[in-house]
Amino acid sequence: FALPTGIVAGLFGMVGYYFTKFNFGLSGLWQEWLESAFLFTAVVSVVLLLGAAYWLARAVIGSEYEHLPGAETMLQYWEELEKWHADNSPRHKTNLAREDFDGFLVNALAGCCQKNWKSNLYRSGELYRAKRSVVWALFAIAILSILYYMNFWLAPDTLRP
């Protein structure tokens, strides 16, 4: 989760840098067109990056994993099963306790696998949406970069950052 978040934050920083260094207010028909195209592309880039941040947050916040019980809990349950079978079925008490314990483990594992499978399916869908949004944002930022450098080349030397 840290890498996609870092990528989105870096792209936000890139858009912010271009926006603060762009020379607004230069005269000329091309400059007005360039400013309009730059502002539109910057807004599209920010909206796409906000969408990516939203999908990333949903991928992390909306899913939880199921875990098997801890070793102490399992040992305690095993001891309870042995005691119960010792009290209630004098013959084959260890084998019956082992069968019950194996059934408990299989059911716990199956429940964990099912919930984790659903959680992974949900997370992969959210991460796919975030990735798709980042790819479109990269495309918009590439256009933004071209517009920024066109503005840079059109500005007089005294106004270049």
Side-chain angles (χ1 to χ4, degrees), residues 35-52:
E35 285 179 11
S36 298
F38 180 83
L39 288 173
F40 176 76
T41 309
V43 168
V44 168
S45 300
V46 168
V47 167
L48 287 168
L49 290 172
L50 286 173

Side-chain angles (χ1 to χ4, degrees), residues 34-130:
L34 201 59
E35 285 179 11
S36 298
F38 180 83
L39 288 173
F40 176 76
T41 309
V43 168
V44 168
S45 300
V46 168
V47 167
L48 287 168
L49 290 172
L50 286 173
Y54 171 75
W55 294 116
L56 283 172
R58 281 182 52 114
V60 172
I61 294 171
S63 61
E64 294 180 7
Y65 288 107
E66 187 76 26
H67 301 283
L68 288 173
E72 287 183 18
T73 306
M74 285 194 203
L75 183 60
Q76 182 181 12
Y77 185 66
W78 169 253
E79 289 169 353
E80 288 174 12
L81 279 175
E82 276 191 318
K83 183 179 181 309
W84 187 87
H85 282 288
D87 294 343
N88 295 314
S89 58
R91 285 192 258 162
H92 313 295
K93 58 185 174 195
T94 304
N95 289 337
L96 291 176
R98 187 172 295 130
E99 288 175 15
D100 285 351
F101 188 74
D102 288 348
F104 160 75
L105 280 180
V106 167
N107 287 334
L109 186 61
C112 290
C113 288
Q114 181 69 18
K115 185 167 192 301
N116 294 347
W117 171 75
K118 286 181 181 180
S119 181
N120 284 340
L121 197 60
Y122 170 80
R123 287 184 74 171
S124 67
E126 302 300 302
L127 289 173
Y128 171 76
R129 289 176 188 89

